[in-house]
Amino acid sequence: GRNEKMSKSKHNVVDPNDIIQGYGADTARLFMLFAAPPEQDLEWNDNGIDGAWRFINRLWRMVQEVVALPSHPPARTMPDDPALRALRRKTHETVEKVTRDVQRFQFNTGISAVMELVNAANEWLTPTVAPGLSAEALSVLREAAEMAVILLNPYVPHVTEELWQRLGHATPLSHHQWPQADPEALRREEITLVI
């Protein structure tokens, strides 16, 4: 992909309508918010728009896979299993990070954090792992999926609204309260080192 600043004199201004027709408005928004903070020039990058498109598809598949699993309500407390604790901590660290970044108009770093959360959740959705998941694991995964969808709503409103319905919610996501990180999930565990 070429990487250059858009400018009228270089005749390299990309019409957002072309992207919207090719990829949809949500992909266009996600790419623009991910590529540059609002106050900076946008460096046009063909790979970037494909990356945004691929990520939206990864999010979509992740939610579909969670929906296909036995239904469990989202986790509300910390599980005992260390790997599940790590995923739930990641979920709530992401809530905290995106909330902070949105307030500072630093959209790109918030999007990165949700991408990491989606990757972490996907590790539990492999054909070898998913069939044997405990009720506790299903709840932690459900929470991760719902939070990813809620946190991306300001960036990709159409896709997340659709995914929210697929997750079984009758009330539109736009009426949902912005989440708050669970302080218990954010607490880093003490590690005793034997010296």
Side-chain angles (χ1 to χ4, degrees), residues 13-192:
V13 176
V14 177
D15 182 351
N17 288 316
D18 293 346
I19 319 170
I20 290 167
Q21 281 181 331
Y23 292 93
D26 276 354
T27 301
R29 283 168 62 108
L30 186 69
F31 164 67
M32 289 172 187
L33 291 168
F34 185 60
E39 73 282 357
Q40 284 177 20
D41 285 342
L42 178 68
E43 289 220 351
W44 183 256
N45 176 342
D46 295 327
N47 298 331
I49 190 81
D50 283 333
W53 171 249
R54 280 197 309 274
F55 171 61
I56 289 175
N57 281 295
R58 216 161 55 236
L59 172 74
W60 187 275
R61 278 196 308 276
M62 186 262 283
V63 170
Q64 293 290 69
E65 287 176 37
V66 168
V67 168
L69 292 167
S71 183
H72 279 271
R76 294 279 171 260
T77 55
M78 278 308 263
D80 292 329
D81 177 83
L84 284 176
R85 291 178 81 82
L87 178 58
R88 187 157 195 266
R89 181 176 308 113
K90 180 106 186 136
T91 298
H92 287 269
E93 285 173 349
T94 307
V95 171
E96 193 179 47
K97 178 153 189 41
V98 175
T99 304
R100 226 183 18 243
D101 292 352
V102 164
Q103 287 164 348
R104 295 178 186 156
F105 294 98
Q106 286 176 331
F107 301 117
N108 51 338
T109 46
I111 296 166
S112 291
V114 184
M115 288 177 169
E116 282 180 30
L117 175 61
V118 169
N119 290 342
N122 272 332
E123 287 174 27
W124 293 84
L125 295 167
T126 62
T128 44
V129 179
L133 290 175
S134 65
E136 196 168 47
L138 292 168
S139 286
V140 171
L141 261 174
R142 162 69 62 157
E143 184 189 37
E146 292 201 350
M147 287 299 188
V149 168
I150 295 169
L151 295 173
L152 283 171
N153 184 243
Y155 307 97
V156 283
H158 307 95
V159 168
T160 48
E161 206 57 80
E162 171 77 19
L163 289 175
W164 190 242
Q165 282 179 11
R166 284 170 187 250
L167 283 160
H169 298 280
T171 324
L173 184 48
S174 52
H175 299 179
H176 195 278
Q177 266 188 308
W178 188 255
Q180 285 191 309
D182 175 358
E184 188 200 1
L186 293 176
R187 253 208 330 269
R188 283 268 161 204
E189 263 127 61
E190 309 273 310
I191 300 164
T192 313

